[in-house]
Amino acid sequence: MSAQPKDLAWPPSLQSLQPLRAVDLDEVMAIEAVAYSHPWTRGNFIDSMAAGYAGFVMRDEQARLCGYFLAMQVIDEMHLLNITVPPERQGQGLARRMLDALGLLARARGCHQVWLEVRESNVRARRLYERYGFVQSGLRRGYYPSADGREDALLMTLRLTEHAA
C-alpha cells in the first residue's frame, strides 16, 4: 500500500489518518455492509491495496474506524474510488477532512485534478462534493448496480489549481 509521501506531513486536523492495512479490512467490511446497498467486496479492497492505490483510514480518539478512502493516480489526475463514513458518524465533517487529505496527497504527487463517480440518487454525497468544489463533468449511464437493475453515475471533477484544501 502506498503511504503518504515522505515530504507530506498531515496537518493536525488530519493526524488521525493512517495507511489502510490488511488488518483494517474486517472493520472496513463491516462499515461497507451498513453504508451501501452494493458494497465493495474484500477482494476489491485487497486488489486495490495490491495495486498500490492510495488508501487511508481515519480513526477517532478511541481508535475506532470512522472513515476511509481509496484513490488511484492516473498520470496527473487522482480518481477517488471509495470514500466512506459510517452512517452513524455522517454529518460530522469527517468526509470533508478526508477530501482535504486527498487534495493534499494529490497535490504532493503532482496531480491537477480529482475526479469521482457518484450515484445519481446519492443526493447527500452530491451536495457534499458540490460544496467542496466538485462540478459535474459527465454522466456514466448504467454505471452502478441497483435494486432495479442499473443506476447512472454522475462524473464529478475538482480542479486542484482552483481549490485550496
Side-chain angles (χ1 to χ4, degrees):
M1 175 56 50
S2 180
Q4 73 185 48
K6 292 182 184 358
D7 61 342
L8 176 64
W10 296 128
S13 65
L14 300 176
Q15 289 297 320
S16 61
L17 279 169
Q18 305 158 354
L20 174 66
R21 301 167 303 151
V23 298
D24 299 316
L25 290 182
D26 286 342
E27 292 173 281
V28 166
M29 295 313 302
I31 293 170
E32 282 285 305
V34 297
Y36 299 111
S37 61
H38 295 81
W40 273 32
T41 66
R42 181 178 292 270
N44 293 138
F45 285 97
I46 291 170
D47 290 347
S48 295
M49 293 168 63
Y53 297 166
F56 290 90
V57 295
M58 178 178 280
R59 294 192 176 274
D60 64 16
E61 299 78 26
Q62 290 77 40
R64 292 179 302 225
L65 189 66
C66 59
Y68 51 89
F69 72 88
L70 279 126
M72 171 181 70
Q73 185 170 349
V74 180
I75 307 174
D76 64 348
E77 300 178 342
M78 191 69 74
H79 180 185
L80 179 60
L81 302 169
N82 185 324
I83 184 169
T84 306
V85 173
E88 71 275 7
R89 299 294 301 264
Q90 292 177 4
Q92 299 175 7
L94 300 173
R96 180 170 181 86
R97 287 177 32 205
M98 288 190 289
L99 289 172
D100 288 346
L102 178 62
L104 288 171
L105 180 66
R107 283 185 187 86
R109 291 186 175 183
C111 296
H112 301 290
Q113 70 178 4
V114 175
W115 54 280
L116 58 85
E117 293 90 5
V118 61
R119 284 181 184 272
E120 194 169 40
S121 65
N122 192 343
V123 175
R124 186 174 190 166
R126 288 173 41 201
R127 285 187 184 142
L128 166 72
Y129 299 138
E130 288 166 358
R131 283 192 309 267
Y132 199 81
F134 282 86
V135 295
Q136 184 176 342
S137 55
L139 180 72
R140 299 198 194 279
R141 298 226 178 263
Y143 186 79
Y144 288 110
S146 72
D148 300 329
R150 305 297 297 178
E151 180 179 356
D152 294 346
L154 302 181
L155 179 62
M156 299 186 81
T157 307
L158 174 71
R159 291 205 168 291
L160 294 175
T161 56
E162 299 167 5
H163 179 82

